[in-house]
Amino acid sequence: MYKILRKERLAPGINLFEIEAPRVAKHAKPGQFVIVRLHEKGERIPLTIADADKSKGSVTIVAQEVGKTTHELGTYNEGDYISDLLGPLGNPSHIDKFGTVVMVGGGVGVAEIYPVARAMKEAGNYVISILGFRTKELVFWEDKLRDVSDEVIVTTNDGSYGMKGFTTHALQKLIDEGRKIDLVHAVGPAIMMKAVAELTKPYGIKTVASLNPIMVDGTGMCGACRITVGGEIKFACVDGPEFDAHLVDWDELMKRLNYYRDLELISFEKWKR
Ligand code: FAD
Ligand code: FES
């Protein structure tokens, strides 16, 4: 059993949980994730390790309430226990001195880019973080990203805070200004990562995306996270979750993400009752 040490509501529908898990914390590296199961009858869901404190023996996850399990997790509080937390899983991000690295986080993806941005900065890169939200009240962790970035650009779709538009508008502006960009690292909704990949491809800017297909075991055994990269079948949990964004079959990924939509809605409605 894994104890919740701290819960924080970061924005409407977005919760942070710091969970006691010393063995996971000890080995966690930026870009890795855990598979969480709330209780014996719960389903397994993957969540990125947004932070890890080795001395305290805790890991931090940030979850957006989108369906049954993430809403149920939202009802858990400090002092509660979750039954399983498996990890760290997946390959760590490739951290190196690239030069100028642009980190692009969309929505809850902002929490996911934080450990990578910090590691990129520690490796000596010039880090520009673009944080995209739908509207001002959903903005979170701008301060944390400022601590680990040289520049931060916040975008909101409705223009209620920061630059009006999508993360891709901010990225296009940097390119138009003639800024030298050596690597783009994107985490967020698949549609955003696809748009980032389409934007950077003609400029030949190396782009990495952390993929979020449906996962079940997270250890390469079930095949649920199957994706196509460069014409080859890959399992995102063991071959990724990060891949060359220019080679990903984005339409297939998005189609597979919606595969169980009707069943997920039924399960959520049942749980609400
Ligand atoms: P459901 O109603 O069951 O599903 C809503 C949508 O979420 C589905 O249509 C599907 O597209 C997706 N989904 C459903 N089940 C899964 C599953 N088992 N695995 C992956 N996607 C699923 N979300 C966060 O909020 N924070 C994170 O840090 C985070 N990190 C992730 C890291 C990885 C490697 C992956 C693959 C996904 C990550 N996600 C993260 C997405 C998160 O796992 C899903 O939002 C969650 O599983 C939805 O479950 P649900 O029961 O609440 O919603
Ligand atoms: Fe089962 Fe990747 S989640 S193979």
Side-chain angles (χ1 to χ4, degrees):
M1 297 292 272
Y2 298 82
K3 188 178 182 182
I4 298 174
L5 303 174
R6 184 167 69 94
K7 178 188 183 184
E8 191 186 336
R9 189 85 161 163
L10 297 179
I14 298 192
N15 301 302
L16 173 154
F17 296 92
E18 186 181 355
I19 300 169
E20 192 172 54
R23 272 189 291 181
V24 181
K26 190 173 168 200
H27 300 287
K29 295 207 170 65
Q32 291 188 297
F33 64 93
V34 289
I35 294 265
V36 167
R37 198 172 62 132
L38 298 181
H39 48 77
E40 238 176 50
K41 291 189 174 158
E43 68 166 344
R44 301 156 64 92
I45 62 160
L47 295 167
T48 302
I49 301 170
D51 213 347
D53 186 331
K54 290 183 177 48
S55 57
K56 205 169 162 189
S58 67
V59 294
T60 296
I61 54 172
V62 175
Q64 179 173 22
E65 294 171 350
V66 292
K68 176 186 170 255
T69 303
T70 46
H71 273 93
E72 191 174 2
L73 175 61
T75 66
Y76 280 50
N77 289 306
E78 195 175 307
D80 288 343
Y81 288 83
I82 59 173
S83 75
D84 300 296
L85 188 141
L86 174 71
L89 299 170
N91 297 299
S93 300
H94 175 205
I95 306 295
D96 212 330
K97 190 167 177 185
F98 296 100
T100 297
V101 176
V102 178
M103 302 294 306
V104 182
V108 74
V110 167
E112 301 173 47
I113 62 166
Y114 171 73
V116 184
R118 183 172 59 190
M120 289 290 188
K121 179 81 182 131
E122 282 167 5
N125 294 287
Y126 186 88
V127 177
I128 304 173
S129 294
I130 301 176
L131 320 179
F133 302 94
R134 273 189 285 118
T135 189
K136 184 180 178 182
E137 68 162 344
L138 297 176
V139 175
F140 71 93
W141 277 19
E142 181 187 352
D143 50 346
K144 273 178 83 84
L145 267 301
R146 283 201 188 279
D147 288 345
V148 298
S149 311
D150 295 280
E151 292 177 48
V152 171
I153 304 164
V154 180
T155 65
T156 50
N157 299 6
D158 61 4
S160 51
Y161 186 72
M163 180 180 168
K164 184 176 185 335
F166 298 129
T167 52
T168 38
H169 293 129
L171 183 56
Q172 182 72 65
K173 190 162 175 282
L174 291 174
I175 294 170
D176 292 345
E177 286 167 358
R179 302 284 296 267
K180 186 180 134 305
I181 299 171
D182 298 290
L183 176 74
V184 171
H185 184 115
V187 190
I191 188 79
M192 182 205 83
M193 295 190 283
K194 180 187 182 196
V196 168
E198 283 173 351
L199 169 60
T200 56
K201 197 172 180 182
Y203 299 98
I205 301 171
K206 187 175 159 58
T207 301
V208 166
S210 181
L211 304 192
N212 56 351
I214 290 178
M215 290 187 181
V216 179
D217 66 302
T219 58
M221 291 193 284
C222 71
C225 66
R226 197 172 74 243
I227 47 160
T228 307
V229 184
E232 283 179 29
I233 303 284
K234 300 278 179 193
F235 286 177
C237 64
V238 286
D239 298 321
E242 285 165 20
F243 293 94
D244 182 336
H246 296 154
L247 300 180
V248 172
D249 183 338
W250 291 103
D251 294 334
E252 179 198 56
L253 172 67
M254 289 191 283
K255 201 169 141 199
R256 286 178 60 85
L257 275 170
N258 284 317
Y259 207 70
Y260 302 104
R261 204 74 206 111
D262 293 348
L263 292 169
E264 285 159 359
L265 285 173
I266 292 167
S267 153
F268 186 31
E269 288 306 319
K270 261 193 186 163
W271 173 78
K272 279 200 282 189
R273 286 203 292 270

